[in-house]
């Protein structure tokens, strides 16, 4: 048991160290975690023989719940107002189109029965929230493009999961091979229950957090435990736990909540740990030598998804919406990132005992590798090429709550006056600060400067503000006007 702890902690430490090279090398950090897991596996230098699919499935689901809870908390209601309908179209119709086109070609390439080909299509039909949230976090995209990708990745897993389970049941002859009313009713039930429990559960968790007086470090644990419990209950009731935990995070992130910044800070760390553990375990689960026999046809199928199936699903999914330019549609097509979810879904056939289960897993894993390698490494280039990068906003170098009441009604923000900023050489008394926003300190070349109205702000000054939460957006406008 002790050796497992040593190996596990060593793998996490190596993953964290290697993550610092990710941006320099232009390699997605999730790909590094995945490859490291493969190197530690049975065919790699670690020689770890791990093949417990039920454990991998459980840990991956827990990790995915934490990632989606954090992703939902960082998604603003404004994003839903901007891109809800287009994103929902991509997460339903888009997944069906991608899965169908992929399934037909998969059956032809691998010489499978059409239902088996469709099963492969369903497994890899959705984009992955962990990959999208991770890779888009450092790219400043246009608001409606970013919102579309975030909401799509957070809401398209239920459709892919539904199609996968239906096809597995069909192959096992538990359901007829056609879609009937009962199947459609179950789909609406799964989506509806996920939405209902996610919104109600998130609202209840907000109320509980705001009413209880606890040690400050317990609030993040309460929010995390509440989200995971909601995820589990929704799954137990055969709803979409993935959708419910994402919406729970959305409620937590957009309503007044006690100790918001402590919660966000802990969620950041937990999300990183979840991504590391999930991709390491999924990497351990695969036997790299098994991928060689399916490499050529799987590579061909990967290219079909990237260059044909995903673009067609975006084209038809967003056809009713005229807000996207051709270049934006091209970028949305390119960011059809596959990640942890297809690998997790590929475990379903193994747990169901299907004959070609290991084959489905290997194909899905290979396609995820290619997606992260080709699409993941080129996102910034694609964003520049298609002109979807927005003007970089001036962000505070620190932001935190200083009130421990029901909501953080007062906050502290620290900004640095950048070279070339329009606020450089401006006297403090001419700043036109919003009401209830005050400068409390200035640091210039690591020395404290007394705050008086006639003082002039210089480049690279560190300025500390205190303000009411309701007025902070006006301060952000001041720095970015």
């Amino acid at each position: 048991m002790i050796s497992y702890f040593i190996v596990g902690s060593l793998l996490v430490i190596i993953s964290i160290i290697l993550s610092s090279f990710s941006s320099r090398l232009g390699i997605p950090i999730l790909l590094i975690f995945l490859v490291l897991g493969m190197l530690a596996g049975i065919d790699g230098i670690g020689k770890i023989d791990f093949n417990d699919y039920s454990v991998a499935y459980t840990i991956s689901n827990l990790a995915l719940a934490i990632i989606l809870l954090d992703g939902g908390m960082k998604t603003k209601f404004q994003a839903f107002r901007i891109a809800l309908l287009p994103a929902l179209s991509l997460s339903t119709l888009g997944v069906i189109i991608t899965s169908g086109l992929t399934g037909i070609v998969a059956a032809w390439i691998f010489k499978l029965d059409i239902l088996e080909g469709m099963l492969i299509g369903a497994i890899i039909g959705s984009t992955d929230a962990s990959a999208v949230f991770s890779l888009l976090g450092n790219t400043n995209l246009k608001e409606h493009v970013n919102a579309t990708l975030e909401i799509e990745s957070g809401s398209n897993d239920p459709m892919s999961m539904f199609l996968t389970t239906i096809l597995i049941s069909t192959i096992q002859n538990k359901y007829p091979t056609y879609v009937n009313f009962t199947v459609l009713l179950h789909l609406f039930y799964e989506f509806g229950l996920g939405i209902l429990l996610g919104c109600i559960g998130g609202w209840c968790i907000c109320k509980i957090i705001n009413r209880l007086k606890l040690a400050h470090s317990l609030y993040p644990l309460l929010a995390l435990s509440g989200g995971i419990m909601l995820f589990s209950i929704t799954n137990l009731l055969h709803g979409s736990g993935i959708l419910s935990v994402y919406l729970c995070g959305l409620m937590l992130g957009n309503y007044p909540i006690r100790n918001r910044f402590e919660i966000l800070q802990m969620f950041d760390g937990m999300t990183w740990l979840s991504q590391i553990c999930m991709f390491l375990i999924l990497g351990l689960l695969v036997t790299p030598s098994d991928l060689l026999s399916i490499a050529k046809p799987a590579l061909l199928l990967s290219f079909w998804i990237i260059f044909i199936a995903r673009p067609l699903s975006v084209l038809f999914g967003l056809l009713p919406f005229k807000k996207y330019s051709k270049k934006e549609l091209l970028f949305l097509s390119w960011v059809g990132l596959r990640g942890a979810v297809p690998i997790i879904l590929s475990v379903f056939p193994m747990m169901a005992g299907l004959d070609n289960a290991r084959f489905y897993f290997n194909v899905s894993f290979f396609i995820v590798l290619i997606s992260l390698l080709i699409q993941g490494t080129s996102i910034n280039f694609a964003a520049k090429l298609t002109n979807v990068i927005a003007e970089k906003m001036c962000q505070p170098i620190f932001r935190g709550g200083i009130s421990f009441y029901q909501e953080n009604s007062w906050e502290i923000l620290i900004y640095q006056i950048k070279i070339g900023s329009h606020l450089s050489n401006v006297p403090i008394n001419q700043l036109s600060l919003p009401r209830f926003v005050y400068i409390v300190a200035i640091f210039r070349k690591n020395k404290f400067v007394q705050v008086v109205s006639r003082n002039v702000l210089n480049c690279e000054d560190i300025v500390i503000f205190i303000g009411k939460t309701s007025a902070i957006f006006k301060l952000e406008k001041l720095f970015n006007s």
Side-chain angles (χ1 to χ4, degrees), residues 220-436:
L221 289 175
L222 180 59
L224 181 65
S225 302
I228 293 172
M229 184 178 69
L230 183 64
F231 172 78
S232 303
I233 290 174
T234 308
N235 281 335
L236 191 64
L237 297 173
H238 305 291
S240 173
I242 290 174
L243 187 56
S244 70
V245 76
Y246 177 69
L247 292 175
C248 174
L250 184 74
M251 301 294 285
L252 293 177
N254 287 275
Y255 281 103
I257 187 171
R258 196 189 297 243
N259 283 45
R260 173 186 304 278
F261 298 101
E262 289 80 1
I263 292 173
L264 283 170
Q265 191 171 23
M266 178 191 167
F267 277 17
D268 272 341
M270 289 300 298
T271 297
W272 276 110
L273 181 61
S274 298
Q275 288 176 340
I276 291 172
C277 291
M278 178 169 60
F279 280 88
L280 281 177
I281 287 175
L282 294 176
L284 282 171
L285 206 58
V286 74
T287 304
S289 58
D290 291 345
L291 302 181
L292 296 177
S293 61
I294 54 99
K296 288 183 179 179
L299 183 62
L300 184 60
L301 186 61
S302 300
F303 289 158
W304 171 264
I305 296 169
I306 294 171
F307 297 106
I308 305 295
R310 170 67 179 180
L312 285 176
S313 70
V314 169
L315 180 63
F316 286 103
L318 298 181
L319 195 60
F321 308 99
K322 307 300 182 184
K323 67 170 70 175
Y324 302 95
S325 67
K326 291 180 180 179
K327 286 188 175 181
E328 289 168 353
L329 290 174
L330 186 61
F331 180 75
L332 290 169
S333 300
W334 189 250
V335 191
L337 290 161
R338 269 62 195 170
V341 171
I343 302 177
I344 295 171
L345 289 179
S346 67
V347 175
F348 281 28
M350 291 190 173
M351 298 173 70
L354 295 189
D355 292 337
N356 289 329
R358 185 76 195 184
F359 170 75
Y360 303 142
F361 179 84
N362 289 335
V363 171
S364 303
F365 193 96
F366 189 91
I367 289 172
V368 168
L369 278 178
I370 297 301
S371 177
L372 290 175
L373 188 61
I374 295 179
Q375 294 169 292
T377 56
S378 58
I379 280 183
N380 288 330
F381 174 75
K384 292 176 183 177
L385 189 67
T386 54
N387 196 30
V388 296
I389 296 180
E391 184 179 348
K392 193 169 185 179
M393 304 288 283
C394 180
Q395 300 289 343
I397 57 178
F398 175 83
R399 180 176 179 178
I402 56 173
S403 173
F404 302 107
Y405 293 100
Q406 179 167 329
E407 61 176 292
N408 294 354
S409 55
W410 288 86
E411 298 181 21
I412 181 169
L413 292 95
I414 303 178
Y415 277 93
Q416 183 172 32
I417 307 298
K418 302 292 185 182
I419 296 175
S421 170
H422 65 285
L423 298 180
S424 179
N425 299 320
V426 175
I428 291 176
N429 58 8
Q430 295 181 18
L431 275 181
S432 301
L433 290 176
R435 191 182 179 193
F436 302 122

Side-chain angles (χ1 to χ4, degrees), residues 14 24 67 82 89 92 123 127 130 159 214 234 253 267 324 331 375 471 474:
I14 294 173
R24 298 181 213 172
I67 293 166
I82 292 172
S89 179
T92 51
I123 289 171
T127 59
S130 58
M159 175 60 77
L214 304 169
T234 308
F267 277 17
Y324 302 95
F331 180 75
Q375 294 169 292
K474 294 181 181 177

